[in-house]
Amino acid sequence: MHTTESSETFIHRVKVLNLPKHELASIKQFFKLHNLHKFKKAPMWEYAYLNFETAEEAKVALEKLNGKEFKKRLLSTEYAKVSEKQFRDRFKVNKTIEQEDTRTPAQRLADQVTPLHKLSYEEQVAKKRKAGVRHLRDLRKKLNALPDLSEEARAQISWTTSDNPDDACQILDPIQSPITHGYRTKCEFTIGKNIQGERTVGFLLGQYRDGVTAVLEPYDCLHVSDKAKEIVRAMERYVRNSEYDVYDKVAKTGVWRSIMTKTQETGDSMEKEITDELSDDQLEQEKEKIRAYWTQLKPEINTTTLMLQTWNGVSNGITDKGQTEILMGDGYVYEHLLGCRFRISSSAFFQVNTPATELLYSKCAEWCNISQDKKTTLLDLCCGTGTIGITMAKTVDRVIGIEMIPEAIVDARANAHMNNITNVQYYASKVEDKIDIVTNERNEQVVAVLDPPRAGVHPSVIRAVRESPQIKKVIYISCDAKQAMQNFIGLCRPTSNRAKGIPFRPVRAVSIDLFPHTEHCELMIEFIRID
């Protein structure tokens, strides 16, 4: 995004200050309301960058945002005109910083992708339990801090004033992952150049936005599976022998960009390679070479599905905007989970730690079964490919899955059919548009399970749950409780014009570690209606 002045190219940059950390979804919505659709912000930044082609566009943004209030914060803005050469020179500055870092490249990468690797596993789990306790404490504080609470409203959240947090919500001992090494079934690797300037496959040794371009092989990474490492070695050999160079994001030249792997417990393996665009003839020739290469590697690497995506955009990662073609297999890998079999497409979400996921879903099923004497309907909200509902279908009377991504619903129906599950219904719809399916529900119990993306669900989903009196219990599975906090507040806040329906309260919570050696952890909370 540039304009030319004399012979030099410039970026007109607006820095928006005093934004809250995280909150990416609400910040995106805030900018969108001001007709500003592209910005850069890391989760821990308290600022964001907006880049414009002209000074006039930047000036309009300055006028729109300076002095605006967001999340009770007064925003300020700064303008800078940066030459593209200066912008690119940050890569040179970063090389100096790298030279001053006394850690080995392997240590730097370990600190980046598995930041808890220096702690014992018991210490890691204890740390994650404390994080769960802290999030529940913050929920109580935020509810008590809501403005203009009436006496009746305060009575509805009286559970938040207990001196003993366990009186308000029982916090169970954390559930540890059965495996702590090589557990990731899905990885995305960058194809680039290592510190020695050789073509390689692995992880960036930092953030590209900070000027980092060097890639390090993942062979010492604790969370990457041996199968994925074998694929990386094979892909490295391929790109080093290729007539095409790796893609350079700075110069915007080259072909090989990245590779995604899915290596399942069943032994199935998927490779999805991402390349920059080639001519039609070059692409056809390369497809044949790739297909022949992975075929001759069997059975050492059991590639059951091989895909090639062409993409000429800025990002090197997997995108639904690229053109994808299946070169081998049916486009899926298959996985077993709690006695059920699931097909997984390249874009489908599936938990990356299968043994730990079985513990998570088993505990969820345990919490969903209120009474064996009463018929239960399970609402699998944001159901994706149907894993939760299908694994629990035999323990409840009826399952209703709702998911706004139509392709996921196609997978969910196929998975239900493959497992001979007949008591499920799936709807490709927004949750708030279809939740009324339980309005005339005849079963005595309706339990909703929410396992949304990292940022949580839109407030309209929470309002729809609140306004459905048939739903007496919600099991919320969050992989980032801080980002999901607004959802928790929405479920629990006192009844008002904004939050209709009887509020919920948390009664028990447990941390389930699906991601050893990292800061991430699943926090599952059981919410019930206040009597």
Side-chain angles (χ1 to χ4, degrees), residues 476-496:
Y476 196 115
I477 303 170
S478 172
C479 58
D480 191 331
K482 188 167 185 178
Q483 289 198 58
M485 183 60 67
Q486 292 305 312
N487 285 177
F488 302 161
I489 294 171
L491 286 170
C492 298
R493 66 185 308 133
T495 305
S496 65

Side-chain angles (χ1 to χ4, degrees), residues 25-81:
S26 56
I27 290 171
K28 180 178 180 180
Q29 186 63 26
F30 173 74
F31 284 145
K32 187 176 179 180
L33 289 173
H34 291 84
N35 203 31
L36 300 166
H37 299 282
K38 292 184 179 180
F39 68 95
K40 290 186 178 181
K41 181 186 183 300
M44 295 301 293
W45 290 359
E46 293 189 272
Y47 54 88
Y49 288 113
L50 303 163
N51 293 338
F52 299 94
E53 294 183 356
T54 67
E56 291 72 21
E57 290 174 316
K59 183 180 178 182
V60 170
L62 287 166
E63 293 173 350
K64 285 181 178 179
L65 299 176
N66 194 46
K68 284 283 185 182
E69 186 174 308
F70 177 73
K71 298 282 185 180
K72 298 183 179 179
R73 290 168 171 248
L74 197 64
L75 304 183
S76 60
T77 55
E78 296 176 357
Y79 167 75
K81 185 173 73 172

Side-chain angles (χ1 to χ4, degrees), residues 77-143:
T77 55
E78 296 176 357
Y79 167 75
K81 185 173 73 172
V82 184
S83 73
E84 185 170 355
K85 181 179 180 302
Q86 179 183 344
F87 188 71
R88 289 186 177 185
D89 279 350
R90 74 193 194 280
F91 292 94
K92 298 177 183 177
V93 172
N94 188 269
K95 287 180 181 178
T96 303
I97 296 172
E98 288 182 14
Q99 291 167 0
E100 295 173 355
D101 195 328
T102 58
R103 294 173 297 169
T104 67
Q107 289 171 335
R108 287 171 54 197
L109 185 59
D111 290 344
Q112 176 183 310
V113 299
T114 50
L116 303 186
H117 70 98
K118 294 178 182 177
L119 301 179
S120 71
Y121 189 54
E122 289 71 23
E123 290 173 315
Q124 293 180 33
V125 172
K127 179 181 177 71
K128 293 178 182 184
R129 184 186 186 279
K130 287 181 181 179
V133 171
R134 185 172 64 251
H135 292 310
L136 288 162
R137 183 180 65 239
D138 289 347
L139 173 60
R140 295 165 61 207
K141 288 181 178 179
K142 290 177 184 295
L143 287 168

